[in-house]
Amino acid sequence: MSAPLFAVVLAGGVGSRFWPLSTPARPKQLLPLVGSQTMLEDTVARLDGLVPRDRVLILTSTQLAPAIRATLPWLAADQVLEEPRAAGTAAALAWAAVEVRRRGGADAAMLSVHADAAIGDDAAFRRVLAAAASAAVTHDALVTVGIIPTEPNPGLGYIEPGAALDAQCARVARFLEKPDRAKAEQLVGAGCLWNSGIFAWKAATFLAEVTAHAPELAAAMGAAATGREAFFAAVHDTVSVDVGVLERSAKVAVVRGGFGWDDVGTWGALRRVRPRDAFGNAVHGAAHLVQARDNVVHAEHGRVVLYGVQDLVVVVRDGLTMVTTIAHADQLKQMLDALPAEVRDQR
């Protein structure tokens, strides 16, 4: 591909799904949830050989920028794109596209990946993203990567492919919101794909589609030439890139991918993406498990002993231990809402 290719890594999210380990100052992407490195470090390393490191841009909040720079000290100062406030993914990616076009010229292309996904096959990941970037340039399209499902997962959005553009790429017929399990089974049977949130497009094409289809960002696009502060100050209605652009554009295409993708949405997901012992336990830290099966243990401090239990999540950080079941690991918000503030907000 002759067009200069950049990668934009979305690393601004602050969530509670990995409480008590995650905090506003140390969110999921800055935790070693899958391997020995943080998820952000894994993500950036995975791009090696696909995008030169000086064309990797980290999109994050002003609050997280110091931690991002400490995690990736080789980054140049201008490789961290700071959002002064949360304004939705459409605005964030529009600003990133403005920067990519400014740095790479009118033909520059960009990949957009999340900093907090697990990938099983890095080489296959790079091959699929290279194909997505090539399709974006060839077809002048907004290309999303649709993951070939391994199960009917009701926790994910889906993509219905439409007419083929070439052997690897098809138009998107429609996006589908998270279904119930019965509907998810129907979608998988019909050949629909998981919506990964991984994108490729020419920066100029994306900006043109934002201008044409996202009235929520009209004022911001007009202010973009003035600079970052003026751009984000002009965003009055936040909207996701899926709703604000992709669902409204006629230029959206999909490339299929199968590379062991997992969005690692809960503590229970670590049982899928971490190495497991002979009894199905996924363990990080000092732990001893006796007659225990299919548990997730993450111990940052001390030692953990599990005996005669199954399907538990045990998380230990300094001064705090949480125990729940795999089945309840996706309901932490309800648990946090019920906790007293001095426990919930412990740092």
Side-chain angles (χ1 to χ4, degrees):
M1 190 178 77
S2 59
L5 181 62
F6 290 74
V8 174
V9 179
L10 279 70
V14 177
S16 60
R17 291 181 293 177
F18 284 88
W19 188 91
L21 206 57
S22 61
T23 68
R26 192 187 177 209
K28 174 184 171 186
Q29 62 269 26
L30 295 178
L31 298 175
L33 291 178
V34 177
S36 59
Q37 297 190 116
T38 66
M39 299 192 77
L40 174 61
E41 290 173 288
D42 288 342
T43 300
V44 171
R46 195 174 295 126
L47 295 167
D48 282 346
L50 178 63
V51 179
R53 280 208 164 183
D54 61 357
R55 292 184 187 165
V56 174
L57 307 178
I58 311 298
L59 185 60
T60 190
S61 66
T62 297
Q63 292 77 16
L64 288 177
I68 297 289
R69 291 189 172 93
T71 301
L72 300 172
W74 52 265
L75 286 170
D78 66 351
Q79 286 180 261
V80 180
L81 305 183
E82 299 182 28
E83 295 177 78
R85 65 180 184 87
T89 53
L93 287 172
W95 181 251
V98 167
E99 281 293 309
V100 168
R101 184 175 61 180
R102 181 180 69 82
R103 299 172 193 216
D107 293 330
M110 60 184 269
L111 300 166
S112 171
V113 299
H114 289 276
D116 57 0
I119 303 297
D121 187 336
D122 287 356
F125 171 84
R126 287 187 288 270
R127 287 194 296 271
V128 171
L129 265 64
S134 178
V137 172
T138 300
H139 302 293
D140 194 29
L142 309 182
V143 177
T144 183
V145 174
I147 305 298
I148 300 167
T150 57
E151 62 176 352
N153 190 328
L156 298 173
Y158 285 76
I159 299 168
E160 180 184 334
L165 293 173
D166 58 39
Q168 292 184 287
C169 184
R171 292 288 182 196
V172 169
R174 59 175 174 154
F175 292 92
L176 302 111
E177 296 298 324
K178 295 177 182 179
D180 58 28
R181 181 161 292 279
K183 181 64 174 178
E185 291 175 355
Q186 294 176 9
L187 295 175
V188 171
C192 292
L193 307 165
W194 287 341
N195 188 353
S196 68
I198 300 171
F199 307 120
W201 45 58
K202 290 194 295 185
T205 300
F206 178 68
L207 291 171
E209 292 300 283
V210 170
T211 300
H213 299 292
E216 299 92 341
L217 299 182
M221 298 311 297
T226 309
R228 182 194 65 170
E229 298 296 334
F231 175 88
F232 281 97
V235 178
H236 301 300
D237 297 311
T238 62
V239 64
S240 71
V241 69
D242 298 83
V243 172
V245 184
L246 301 181
E247 293 181 7
R248 299 169 181 173
S249 172
K251 303 189 75 166
V252 185
V254 61
V255 167
R256 292 172 173 81
F259 39 75
W261 174 87
D262 197 299
D263 72 341
V264 196
T266 69
W267 280 112
L270 298 186
R271 201 167 57 176
R272 297 192 299 265
V273 301
R274 277 183 177 174
R276 289 176 290 173
D277 66 18
F279 302 99
N281 301 295
V283 177
H284 174 92
H288 304 275
L289 288 79
V290 181
Q291 297 179 26
R293 291 182 174 271
D294 302 323
N295 300 287
V296 172
V297 179
H298 189 104
E300 286 205 333
H301 301 89
R303 292 181 179 272
V304 176
V305 176
L306 270 63
Y307 173 56
V309 295
Q310 184 172 355
D311 296 325
L312 292 184
V313 173
V314 180
V315 183
V316 181
R317 51 168 288 202
D318 191 21
L320 185 61
T321 300
M322 181 196 73
V323 180
T324 186
T325 63
I326 296 288
H328 285 85
D330 62 350
Q331 301 171 26
L332 288 194
K333 187 178 186 306
Q334 293 95 306
M335 180 198 72
L336 289 171
D337 289 344
L339 290 177
E342 64 269 20
V343 175
R344 182 180 63 244
D345 299 331
Q346 182 173 337
R347 297 288 182 263

